[in-house]
Amino acid sequence: MKKKIIAFAAIMAIAVSMSGCGKDKEKKSNITDLDNVTATMSADGAAASGEPESKTEEQVKEELDNFAKDADKNADMDKIDGNKLKGEGGDKADLDGYQVEIKDAVKATDADGSGVIVVEYSFKNNTASTTKFDSVLKSTAAQNGKQLPVAVTYEAEGYDILTIAQDVESGDKITVQKAFKLTSDTDAVEITVRRTDTAGTAESVVKTFSLQ
């Protein structure tokens, strides 16, 4: 699990840095603070002796790509221990070359006994470039208008957080999963997906799941 958290942190750094880039740059990753990312990753590996291993941006990206390779094969909502939720909306839509659908959700419990909602998306890359779900699309969850945090430490059979960082080649379609921490066990959860470079609610896909 420690390696997943480290990889997720590095993936988020790449995703944030890429969010402002145009389509021509979607295959590149601009890590603005590469030293911190590589030092964190090295702490769990060969650099445990105390001297951080120096890695290039390309080496970091290659490690992350391999780490998330075929992650969608681990995604199976039927294996997740929890209650399947009913939802409204979330119809399939094309967000400027990226076909996405908010499909299912499960209410589950993390290791600390806190409630989480696991959301499943269908993602197809209709552009000419290889990309990752979280590099081009922003998925959020909210209860009563307040955004929920991502459940980074949550793990369960049938769930793989690395699907958001899996490379998706042109024309390919994968299943993506993301978990969020619930702040209420009864209030409905609104899931929204939009392009990372789109402001407001324009060109978004929304689905509301009832917890009751």
Side-chain angles (χ1 to χ4, degrees):
M1 185 62 206
K2 184 178 180 182
K3 289 185 178 180
K4 281 194 176 184
I5 297 174
I6 293 170
F8 180 75
I11 289 163
M12 290 299 96
I14 291 176
V16 169
S17 65
M18 292 176 67
S19 63
C21 300
K23 291 182 181 178
D24 293 339
K25 297 181 180 180
E26 285 172 0
K27 292 178 68 178
K28 300 179 181 179
S29 59
N30 292 319
I31 301 179
T32 56
D33 196 357
L34 184 63
D35 290 338
N36 286 345
V37 174
T38 54
T40 303
M41 294 184 66
S42 298
D44 193 47
S49 60
E51 297 199 5
E53 179 184 349
S54 178
K55 297 182 181 180
T56 66
E57 180 178 342
E58 289 73 18
Q59 288 175 320
V60 172
K61 185 177 184 302
E62 182 179 0
E63 289 185 4
L64 293 177
D65 288 345
N66 290 334
F67 198 90
K69 186 176 181 181
D70 296 328
D72 63 317
K73 292 182 179 180
N74 300 320
D76 188 342
M77 297 291 275
D78 291 334
K79 292 183 178 180
I80 297 176
D81 185 15
N83 299 321
K84 193 169 183 178
L85 304 175
K86 293 182 178 180
E88 294 183 359
D91 295 335
K92 188 183 299 182
D94 189 291
L95 302 182
D96 195 17
Y98 303 105
Q99 184 178 293
V100 63
E101 180 182 5
I102 304 171
K103 300 188 70 176
D104 299 314
V106 170
K107 181 184 177 184
T109 305
D110 65 14
D112 296 326
S114 301
V116 298
I117 181 171
V118 182
V119 184
E120 179 182 82
Y121 314 79
S122 171
F123 175 60
K124 184 178 181 181
N125 178 15
N126 289 325
T127 70
S129 303
T130 299
T131 191
K132 309 175 193 295
F133 178 86
D134 246 26
S135 293
V136 293
L137 299 179
K138 181 179 181 180
S139 57
T140 58
Q143 284 184 306
N144 291 321
K146 295 183 179 180
Q147 190 165 315
L148 303 179
V150 177
V152 179
T153 60
Y154 171 75
E155 62 176 341
E157 183 181 7
Y159 172 70
D160 197 327
I161 192 174
L162 296 180
T163 52
I164 64 173
Q166 181 174 335
D167 275 340
V168 184
E169 297 182 359
S170 176
D172 284 355
K173 179 180 178 180
I174 70 168
T175 294
V176 175
Q177 295 175 318
K178 201 166 184 177
F180 303 89
K181 288 187 176 183
L182 296 171
T183 56
S184 167
D185 288 328
T186 57
D187 294 334
V189 180
E190 183 178 84
I191 306 297
T192 303
V193 181
R194 62 172 59 92
R195 286 292 305 268
T196 55
D197 53 2
T198 301
T201 57
E203 297 186 56
S204 63
V205 180
V206 181
K207 189 165 187 173
T208 301
F209 290 97
S210 174
L211 299 186
Q212 299 183 359

